[in-house]
Amino acid sequence: MEKNGALAPNGGFFGWIERTGNKLPDPVFLFFYLILFVVALSVLADVLGWSAVHPIEVDEETGSNTVIAATSLLSADNIRRLWVEMPKTFTHFHPLGYVLVVMLGAGVAERSGLFGTAMRAGVRNAPVFLLTPIVALVAMLGNLAADAAYVVLIPLAGVIFAAAGRHPIAGIAAAFAGVSGGFSANLFPGQLDALLFGITQAAAETVFPGWEANIAGNWYFIIVMTFVFLPVIWYVTDRIIEPHLGHYSGALNPSENNSETAVSVDDDTQDRPLTEGEKRGLRYAGFALLGVIALWLLMLFGPGTALIDETAAAEAQLTPFYQSLVGGFFLLFLLAGWAYGKGVGKIKDHRDLVKMMRDSMADMAYFLVLAFMVAHFVALFSWSNLGLITAVHGAETLQSLDLPAPLLLALVVIFVAVMNLFVGSASAKWALLAPILVPMLMLIGVSAETTTAAYRVGDSATNIITPLMVYFPLILIFCQRWNKDFGIGNLTAMMLPYALWLLGAGLALIMLWVAFEIPLGPNAPVFAPPPTS
């Protein structure tokens, strides 16, 4: 045990999680090993004659439902297909295009400083009694900024809390809970939606070719999730965490106080006023934001209605608009980041802009490597027919259990939350689960958007208590700036109430949402009959 009674880093349940999780290979090799496993399983399934009756497809010759048989991935046809179609398998992997397009714009917004300044502007003048909810809200919205939310907002929250006479570690906890515990909550779809729905589409297509993902498929749900999680984080911070931490009497500058809890603060995290250039940059970014919104409204309602397919059925007429949102967020981030950079003088000409876009793609190098492996895992799983067979038999099992849909989705949430303790990457985890969960639940009438929403709830809640979370050590360092004896046990114990409350709130939300059949987003019902083609 540590001096303060917290669990030592190598002891207890969370120590076991850390040791177990550290034994897992890098996600790239995890999927490589899964590919080898799928190949071996496909050979066994082919020999044993595993099969399933397709619930939708009908054999034209016999007039009965098509029988889908397992296929060995070591057959001549599949070996040839693997090597011949390798470039196509990679480049046609839906998350790849979705994420890279959005990140081309988001990288400019991040590197120009727009995200960091916007978050500072959002919290630095907050009234003391509203400090916690404002920090939590900006933190959840900061998910659009990806890494910037962790490295800018979380330490800044500690500084602002201390300046207001409150415990700085409580500010760090509230911001960490918002950024990571509220990982999927937001007012707008963003790069996470592009990533997850890209994987959802790839999974759905293993059983239902031609199914199209809608990046706004969880828009209503994540908006409500934001306002459900907000009071939860507020309550836990002000009523549980801060009273436990006790009164803070340290100082921002170590020269003002010799206490061990005093801390020196990096220049870029100080609670300094916005400069005139930063204010000008935010104004320019605001104009760019309004311009992009006006452009999309013009294409939606203007002459020619470019983003409405008037020849389609009524429920499908807005499909081009939903599909355009990936490009819309690219343009929004790009122009707002460019405008801000011009305002502060960070972007002087087009070469600076191109360099920021280039650097953002350099940061995606690991994602490209992971996407290559995941794309082939998903493709091979589909070619073997194991995904379809598993989904069909799984759907039959679920139908025989006759579980109420809210309870079924709650079990998905809990399963994902537990798995999240060991596999931290949202994309790697969803790429592993989606090929089974998405088609299996679609076959019993649960829409792919609903399954994705349930995954997001489980994936968010336990991010903040697993030592395997990539930013966990960084948050620990932020806390140690204010208390040098703060350890991994302290951080885990401090964040555990957030995790439990957020998981409980998320479970209640998804169960009520499904029970009342509220659309999860535009053209995204909770239940939908399986696609016929």
Side-chain angles (χ1 to χ4, degrees):
M1 301 290 284
E2 294 179 311
K3 291 180 181 179
N4 54 19
L7 289 172
N10 60 349
F13 176 65
F14 289 103
W16 175 77
I17 290 175
E18 185 176 19
R19 292 191 304 274
T20 304
N22 285 335
K23 293 178 182 178
L24 292 174
D26 182 276
V28 173
F29 265 80
L30 176 63
F31 278 95
F32 173 71
Y33 296 140
L34 285 171
I35 286 173
L36 297 181
F37 174 74
V38 166
V39 170
L41 186 61
S42 71
V43 174
L44 178 63
D46 188 27
V47 171
L48 296 178
W50 292 1
S51 64
V53 177
H54 200 293
I56 297 172
E57 287 186 2
V58 176
D59 189 316
E60 294 181 358
E61 295 182 1
T62 64
S64 57
N65 287 52
T66 305
V67 176
I68 305 298
T71 302
S72 170
L73 291 172
L74 293 183
S75 67
D77 287 344
N78 278 328
I79 291 175
R80 184 187 311 113
R81 189 177 187 183
L82 170 65
W83 298 112
V84 171
E85 297 187 8
M86 186 169 283
K88 178 182 176 182
T89 300
F90 181 40
T91 58
H92 286 211
F93 186 52
H94 295 291
L96 185 65
Y98 287 4
V99 174
L100 292 183
V101 168
V102 173
M103 282 305 299
L104 270 174
V108 173
E110 182 177 0
R111 283 165 175 74
S112 67
L114 171 59
F115 286 149
T117 301
M119 285 186 286
R120 283 179 47 233
V123 300
R124 66 173 305 275
N125 292 320
V128 174
F129 76 99
L130 289 178
L131 192 52
T132 301
I134 290 176
V135 165
L137 178 61
V138 173
M140 286 186 280
L141 298 182
N143 288 323
L144 293 172
D147 295 350
Y150 287 95
V151 300
V152 174
L153 180 62
I154 293 178
L156 178 61
V159 174
I160 292 173
F161 265 59
R166 299 181 59 180
H167 205 296
I169 293 181
I172 290 172
F176 186 30
V179 172
S180 195
F183 184 58
S184 281
N186 217 298
L187 300 183
F188 306 98
Q191 51 193 309
L192 179 63
D193 296 80
L195 175 62
L196 294 182
F197 274 105
I199 295 172
T200 299
Q201 178 165 339
E205 285 182 339
T206 62
V207 179
F208 305 108
W211 185 84
E212 288 285 346
N214 169 12
I215 192 178
N218 283 166
W219 197 344
Y220 304 158
F221 184 79
I222 62 175
I223 289 174
V224 175
M225 185 191 286
T226 302
F227 291 106
V228 168
F229 282 2
L230 184 61
V232 169
I233 296 174
W234 188 357
Y235 174 82
V236 173
T237 302
D238 289 6
R239 299 297 182 182
I240 300 176
I241 301 304
E242 195 164 15
H244 176 74
L245 290 169
H247 177 68
Y248 175 72
S249 58
L252 285 177
N253 192 316
S255 65
E256 300 173 15
N257 192 324
N258 291 325
S259 167
E260 289 184 345
T261 59
V263 59
S264 61
V265 183
D266 293 339
D267 289 341
D268 59 349
T269 63
Q270 289 190 27
D271 183 29
R272 58 177 176 81
L274 298 182
T275 66
E276 286 302 317
E278 289 171 333
K279 292 178 181 178
R280 181 171 57 250
L282 288 177
R283 286 197 302 272
Y284 289 178
F287 294 146
L289 169 66
L290 294 175
V292 173
I293 292 174
L295 175 61
W296 248 250
L297 289 175
L298 178 64
M299 291 188 292
L300 193 60
F301 301 112
T305 58
L307 297 181
I308 297 179
D309 183 1
E310 296 180 347
T311 64
E315 65 274 10
Q317 288 187 352
L318 286 175
T319 297
F321 167 70
Y322 305 140
Q323 294 174 338
S324 77
L325 291 176
V326 173
F329 282 107
F330 154 72
L331 192 62
L332 174 62
F333 289 137
L334 175 67
L335 295 185
W338 190 356
Y340 176 84
K342 277 288 186 182
V344 298
K346 197 166 185 178
I347 297 179
K348 297 179 175 59
D349 56 34
H350 69 278
R351 291 179 178 83
D352 293 330
L353 178 70
V354 172
K355 183 178 184 300
M356 289 181 181
M357 298 176 75
R358 183 190 69 200
D359 290 346
S360 69
M361 290 297 98
D363 287 346
M364 298 301 293
Y366 178 78
F367 172 74
L368 292 175
V369 177
L370 178 62
F372 177 83
M373 205 61 70
V374 172
H376 283 85
F377 166 74
V378 172
L380 289 167
F381 199 54
S382 173
W383 299 346
S384 69
N385 288 330
L386 290 175
L388 176 55
I389 293 170
T390 304
V392 170
H393 289 304
E396 291 173 350
T397 301
L398 291 177
Q399 285 177 325
S400 67
L401 294 175
D402 198 25
L403 292 174
L407 179 58
L408 180 61
L409 272 299
L411 293 176
V412 171
V413 170
I414 293 171
F415 174 72
V416 172
V418 172
M419 187 174 179
N420 193 41
L421 294 172
F422 302 93
V423 182
S425 169
S427 57
K429 193 161 56 267
W430 189 223
L432 182 62
L433 297 176
I436 298 294
L437 290 179
V438 170
M440 180 172 70
L441 293 176
M442 287 177 75
L443 285 169
I444 61 171
V446 177
S447 72
E449 291 85 358
T450 304
T451 307
T452 306
Y455 171 79
R456 298 174 78 148
V457 172
D459 178 60
S460 295
T462 51
N463 277 334
I464 50 180
I465 59 171
T466 172
L468 300 177
M469 193 267 178
V470 66
Y471 285 104
F472 203 83
L474 181 64
I475 308 305
L476 183 61
I477 291 171
F478 291 153
C479 292
Q480 288 174 344
R481 290 178 173 182
W482 303 96
N483 180 353
K484 69 181 183 64
D485 294 325
F486 203 87
I488 193 172
N490 301 79
L491 181 55
T492 301
M494 180 175 71
M495 301 311 298
L496 185 59
Y498 289 106
L500 295 176
W501 279 78
L502 289 173
L503 181 59
L507 279 169
L509 176 62
I510 192 72
M511 293 176 74
L512 289 172
W513 202 286
V514 172
F516 287 99
E517 299 187 27
I518 306 168
L520 294 118
N523 198 30
V526 168
F527 300 106
T532 56
S533 60

